[in-house]
């Protein structure tokens, strides 16, 4: 007996659930949890099914499901192997540390294969926890060269996701395309407020009473990819920029880790510029 | 074309979803949203299905669903008529007003048929909003007589639910049994903390940093029925009992109204002493 | 014995607290609570002092305090009389009702003198609760004329504040200047995100996971006045625009009522385009 | 120029603030922030003052303040040296890791001198981050002996606080008395709900919709010391005990770290069985 997660998206039509569950029943798979969503504006159907059973041939199940669904359907049968990830950082430790600690104690739901930084600041800590650290300097080279060096490192691993844990360089559209749907970023504001640089300074100047953070998939439009998770926290007039940054870091790590947990448990669909998330 | 909500609970077994959705497909019903939950400890299955279609015979659909399910199954096909409710109050206005305002502007999802109070305090306000107010004095009579008078009023209406909106008398086991699963109460604490009288005084004495409220179905064990919704809010040393009561009222009305919204939209199953809620 | 609230703002310098508290001690006033804040960027000092005592001459106390402070100081000694307010509305009832209910049960901390609407939609409800309702049509007249009619009504009352409770017309710079620092608005988004029209539609298109609302003082820059309170609530992919509007209304009324409570208790200073709030 | 924090508590009487601020002005100390609270039930006055200036003699300032105050006054002038702490653990890593990471990156506001565990589970991780780990087995010895061994280790350091970061042994009244007001515990429930063992199991059985955690000072009454911080998080019927434990850990570390931050910044007074906290 093993556990499977099945992700399906396709154009909506009558009878989809019956078709899908009939295929599962024919394979003696027992549904533990099933979630579905119909995006009525785009006539799109999404479902996530958790089931148990003795599956001999994953590809055959995918094939049978595809045969029962509209031709545009995407079907993904996932058995429970863990995801492999790389992390890109600059100087700030808080998101990296949260990930590496969970990795260390096997509660991340993924394996961190390496950390790549454009500074040396986080090498010592990363290596203490037994993770390879690669330094790629961005100085004195153009973005193409910088990203080529990063890719050369990433290519050494078989990666499912790339996590930007306060990585402060903007990736090119070409880079993002190569890892389409695989790059997750934590943005230090409650998007779409305070897009771009120095969001806490912007928030301070505006006198807001709440700050937030946003985890999103990276697309070639800066800060505009599909949002995965967001949280906010209250501040008041006693918060200068420094205090806002400190409070913001707590939100950032919470938001990023929640997003990663959802992704690593295969709960997140991307639909256009939005996400459908089955919690 | 009309909209239906279908609620089903039964012992869990393989193939339930396929059986159910096959019946719906045979009736040309299109599933808009489907939620299910398997309580693995009790081997119980719950589902809520929203669908659209031309249903000619509600009873026949229920019959067909029952035939496809284990004998213990409960099936409830609900078309969208609004619930009818009565409200019991004592002196505090905040929960009553929140309900009556939504009733007034047709956003409650239910019709308030009457308000019954054991004081006259809230008559004037209730009547201003056009709702009948019945005064049942509890003084000088035993609980049986008191409840008999309340029941006589309730029996004038065809009611789905009875809402205790800060009604400060404890109902007898007999009364509760007569309205089994139909009585919703707002308790002025975050249960199970501070059960019983004067929870804000208890909270003040204990020096807690959070207070809360709980909406629950009423059973014959005081403050121990299935919990529907809970919320909390932060307090600090500046809060005396008076300030805690004031802050608590805001939470109470939020918690109660959320619970009512869930119930009126047929999203709440009671399972033993717990609730299963499909938000 | 009566209770006083004293609000003071002035340029910061050494010894302010000593000077102020010495004057209070000389008047036999006992400090119950004192809050102060130094805006270091602007070298500005703010304090709110709650005290008790037998004050014979409010103006003399203000005079003595001014003598002990830098020449730019502003001093306001407030005894506990309630504020008088007017409310401007369009068609949505939720913020208006929340205010009128608290007004009805004497828990608003202010007296509502009248409601002015540019539609007739809310007349019936307002009048049921015994508050005068004035209809000022905006059709077929320019903004100057429209606002002139509103002012004519407002001038019949001695008002401390003007509350825009989902009033959907933009007030002119002239109007705002006449009521400088007296006009409070509820904006249906978490400012500065989604400034302007249709914020829930904007939020839906962007696929955000949180929506919010903002209460702020109105200045002549649309949606850019000093922020008083903000709250947010989580949403997910199941929320269409309609569901976001419904959830948003709950946040809007909470945010506005919190702002009003703070203002009516004299806890809010405006400092440039920000607020200093002593909760 | 250095920064000072001054903590004062004493019986309330008229003129305290004037007396205190006069002494500070006489020492040319400039008040940056001042918070005060009068516990009216107990006629007790608390203040926390942050100020800057050239202080030559801390003891003399304390003496002068004491002379200006009622005889029962407690005065504590603190310059900004960091606190020294020890951590007691059992097997769970999440609170320990959060503390050690902040310690590693110098953002804890305290120095971790050692970790003591009654299992070896957390030695490896602790030592990787360069902190001494001491193993004290509790098996086969009575509590007196067990605690004697712990004390022998603690006595090697000059400690301000002892943090129980998921330490699952109950300390004796004698031990607690020796470290009176110095021991902080994280309790895995929203006290006073679910006191004692297996709170998540209790919460699961009760079907609550919220779980929480509580950081408190340890007194000789189990789970009944003064509460410092509490937070809650929503759960639903999908949460079994395992999922509740996982969600609970996130709350636990947040609650504990917030409490520690407040304590290390000298913002927490203990007053009877409650805390007064100047955030």
């Amino acid at each position: 007996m093993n556990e499977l997660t099945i992700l399906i998206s396709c154009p909506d039509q009558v009878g989809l659930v019956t078709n899908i569950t009939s295929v599962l029943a024919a394979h003696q798979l027992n549904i533990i949890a099933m979630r579905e969503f119909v995006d009525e504006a785009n006539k799109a159907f999404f479902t996530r099914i958790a089931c148990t059973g003795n599956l001999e041939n994953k590809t055959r199940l995918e094939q049978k499901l595809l045969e029962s669904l509209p031709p545009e359907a995407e079907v993904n049968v996932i058995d429970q192997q863990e995801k492999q990830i790389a992390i890109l950082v600059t100087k700030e430790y808080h998101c990296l540390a949260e990930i590496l600690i969970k990795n260390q104690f096997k509660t991340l739901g993924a394996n961190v294969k390496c950390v790549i930084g454009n500074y040396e600041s986080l090498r010592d800590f990363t290596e203490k926890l037994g993770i390879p650290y690669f330094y790629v300097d961005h100085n004195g080279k153009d973005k193409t060269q910088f990203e080529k060096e990063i890719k050369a490192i990433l290519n050494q691993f078989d990666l499912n996701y790339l996590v930007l844990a306060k990585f402060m360089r903007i990736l090119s559209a070409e880079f993002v395309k190569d890892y389409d749907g695989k790059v997750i970023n934590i943005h230090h504001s409650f998007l779409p407020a305070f897009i771009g640089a120095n969001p806490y300074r912007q928030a301070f100047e505006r006198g807001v009473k709440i700050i937030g953070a946003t985890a999103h998939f990276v697309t070639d439009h800066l800060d505009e990819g599909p949002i995965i998770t967001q949280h906010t926290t209250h501040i008041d007039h006693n918060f200068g920029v420094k205090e806002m940054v400190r409070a913001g870091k707590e939100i950032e790590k919470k938001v990023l880790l929640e997003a990663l947990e959802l992704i690593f448990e295969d709960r997140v669909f991307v639909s256009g510029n939005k996400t459908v998330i089955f919690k």
Side-chain angles (χ1 to χ4, degrees), chain A:
Chain A
M1 288 279 288
N2 49 2
E3 268 188 49
L4 300 175
T5 303
I6 300 170
L7 305 182
I8 297 172
S9 61
C10 65
D12 189 33
Q13 62 182 51
V14 177
L16 289 173
V17 175
T18 306
N19 292 356
I20 292 165
T21 58
S22 299
V23 173
L24 301 186
H27 284 73
Q28 302 294 330
L29 294 169
N30 189 27
I31 297 173
I32 295 170
M34 176 168 180
R35 297 290 301 277
E36 51 95 272
F37 173 67
V38 175
D39 175 346
E40 302 203 40
N42 299 304
K43 302 285 173 214
F45 171 89
F46 302 88
T47 190
R48 177 188 188 273
I49 305 167
C51 53
T52 55
N54 284 304
L55 186 67
E56 284 166 30
N57 191 323
K58 196 181 96 162
T59 312
R60 187 135 108 212
L61 177 59
E62 287 179 343
Q63 192 53 43
K64 287 288 179 192
L65 284 166
L66 282 168
E67 286 168 14
S68 77
L69 295 167
E72 305 86 340
E74 291 183 37
V75 171
N76 195 1
V77 175
I78 303 158
D79 39 25
Q80 296 289 327
Q81 90 283 15
E82 292 208 318
K83 275 71 183 170
Q84 313 295 322
I85 67 167
I87 305 173
L88 266 66
V89 297
T90 295
K91 287 177 173 174
E92 289 176 79
Y93 77 89
H94 58 290
C95 289
L96 175 68
E98 193 83 2
I99 298 170
L100 291 190
I101 292 297
K102 295 210 171 198
N103 182 69
Q104 169 86 7
F105 289 97
K106 310 284 179 212
T107 53
L108 181 62
N111 293 312
V112 179
K113 305 303 285 183
C114 70
V115 176
I116 303 172
N118 62 323
Y119 285 87
E120 285 284 19
S121 323
L122 296 166
R123 174 186 293 279
D124 178 55
F125 172 69
T126 301
E127 290 181 348
K128 271 183 178 158
L129 295 181
I131 306 296
Y133 188 92
F134 298 91
Y135 167 54
V136 181
D137 189 0
H138 64 277
N139 285 306
K141 56 186 84 144
D142 63 13
K143 186 170 288 194
T144 308
Q145 178 59 25
F146 177 60
E147 293 183 349
K148 192 177 154 191
E149 295 176 26
I150 291 174
K151 279 188 203 175
I153 297 163
L154 296 175
N155 287 339
Q156 300 173 29
F157 305 96
D158 186 22
L159 298 168
N160 298 93
Y161 294 103
L162 189 54
V163 180
L164 310 188
K166 304 293 290 178
F167 178 66
M168 304 310 275
R169 310 296 299 177
I170 295 168
L171 295 168
S172 71
E174 290 70 35
F175 186 100
V176 170
K177 197 190 286 176
D178 285 356
Y179 296 88
D180 186 32
K182 303 293 184 194
V183 187
I184 299 118
N185 185 44
I186 176 68
H187 187 267
H188 44 175
S189 91
F190 173 65
L191 289 175
F194 308 125
I195 286 181
N198 282 325
Y200 293 117
R201 164 61 58 183
Q202 291 182 60
F204 175 77
E205 299 294 349
R206 180 62 187 90
V208 291
K209 299 299 185 183
I210 286 179
I211 55 171
T214 304
H216 62 97
F217 288 106
V218 177
T219 58
D220 55 356
H221 295 283
L222 180 63
D223 300 343
E224 296 197 354
I227 292 171
I228 307 160
T229 48
Q230 301 189 293
H231 281 291
T232 58
T233 192
H234 281 89
I235 59 169
D236 62 30
H237 59 269
N238 290 301
F239 285 66
V241 173
K242 200 180 85 180
E243 289 75 23
M244 289 169 61
V245 168
R246 185 167 75 159
K249 285 178 180 176
E250 295 300 316
I251 298 295
E252 288 166 16
K253 71 188 193 191
K254 173 181 169 140
V255 165
L256 179 58
L257 270 283
E258 255 187 48
L260 294 181
E261 183 177 309
L262 292 167
I263 289 169
F264 297 158
E265 294 183 352
D266 301 301
R267 297 180 180 280
V268 182
F269 285 87
V270 172
S271 169
N273 201 43
K274 300 186 189 181
T275 57
V276 172
I277 302 181
F278 296 121
K279 283 189 191 170

